[in-house]
Amino acid sequence: MKKYATVLSILIVIIVIHAIVLFSCVYSQKDAVARAKALGKEADAPRKTEPEFVIDPTPVQSDPIQTSTRTLPAAPPIPVNHNHGKPFIYQYAVNGNIPALPGSRNATSGILVDLNTRNVLWSKNPRNAYPIASMTKIMTCLIAYEDTLSGRNGLTLDTPIKVSTAAMKIGGSQVYLDTRETFSLRDLLKASIIKSANDAAYLIAEYVGQGSVPAFVRRMNERAAQIHMANTRFHNPHGLPGAKASLDNVSSPEGMARLAEEALLHPQLMQWASTWMDTFREPGTKGFMKIKNHNYLIKGSPEAAPGVDGLKTGFINRAGFCLTATCLRDNRRLVAVVTGYPLRKERDRFVRQLLDWGYARAADPAAALVNDRKASVKKSPSRNTKKKTVKKTSTARKKTQ
């Protein structure tokens, strides 16, 4: 009997041990499955630190800014520039006057930049500050337009803006705003860019600045610093001269080239900048007028230059005739800036020649500089030639004596 009891005890112990082992395995397997499911859910969940990978299921609505233009054709697509905002490279620049282009002597300052490569092809006082006159309006329109894209303060291109007494009093180039009128921001931007209307630019600044033009001007200076516009200072939104020279809006050719690069990001702005003729106010209404672009190099002008699609002219006595010109040929984007010309036609003639000259050397500016040096060496007489000339002269004198 004792023997049977011992065997039974051993069997019970063995059964208990097996039961414990089996229970542990089943529990571990369930735990592993649960953890795997949890990890799977975590992997499928959107990552909060990387919102760019989250797809918004909301249907994309059409952009009223791009679809509501009536009088102008659709703006052409602008080639993507992956070098945007990078420093300009002066290594291959021709500095000062260009021997092949005598018109460069009359420029107070200037620059020619290949935005595709960031190479500066020509520079003359490129970082010095000079009055920029109505080229100021590039910044005014850029800030207002960027606000429509961000929806700042609910601003859109269709926002109605009532003419103020202060805006109506602004002179110079204008569209003769009246306090009884109300215009959309779109119409005011168009008037500012195409007609270079000072009253329209002032009204834009006043409205976007929520009633304060000085507040808007502060934003102009902040934006200039943000895009690294060298030696730039704005005092007003239109570019009219200040009571003294120190109150004129000033920038450098390099600064204006950087500003042009920002404007080039927005097809709608460039569409207006490349428009030769348009209208302001509804036909048949009081004050209806045709407006013409001051940039005679754009398409449609009798003096058009190939590829020029903007951007803005300027003139006050202290600035002379100025121009920031954008040009696209064979997917290569050049920007030219000049200031200080005594005559409009002289300025335009030089910029047209400058663009042709720039495109001819843009593909390999380093080789072009080498060729320039070789050409200058050939033109200047060598020392040996000078010695021979001196000897011949002395011999001739002896014979004469």
Side-chain angles (χ1 to χ4, degrees), residues 136 139-140 143 201-202 204-206 208-209 212-224 232-239 247 249:
T136 294
M139 178 62 86
T140 301
I143 289 177
Y202 185 93
I204 289 170
E206 189 178 46
V208 175
S212 173
V213 173
F216 184 87
V217 172
R218 281 195 295 274
R219 288 188 62 194
M220 294 172 73
N221 287 307
E222 289 168 3
R223 192 76 175 91
T232 300
R233 184 69 187 173
F234 294 105
H235 295 279
N236 62 60
H238 40 61
L247 296 178
N249 292 344

Side-chain angles (χ1 to χ4, degrees), residues 256-271:
M256 292 307 301
R258 287 192 172 277
L259 180 56
E261 186 175 28
E262 293 300 310
L264 283 164
L265 294 176
H266 305 295
Q268 180 64 86
L269 289 181
M270 296 307 299
Q271 183 187 58

Side-chain angles (χ1 to χ4, degrees), residues 92 114 116-117 119 121 332 334 356-368:
Y92 309 113
D114 180 352
N116 292 54
T117 61
N119 286 327
L121 304 175
R332 186 180 293 278
L334 298 189
D356 291 341
W357 175 87
Y359 277 105
R361 62 195 292 128
D364 195 347

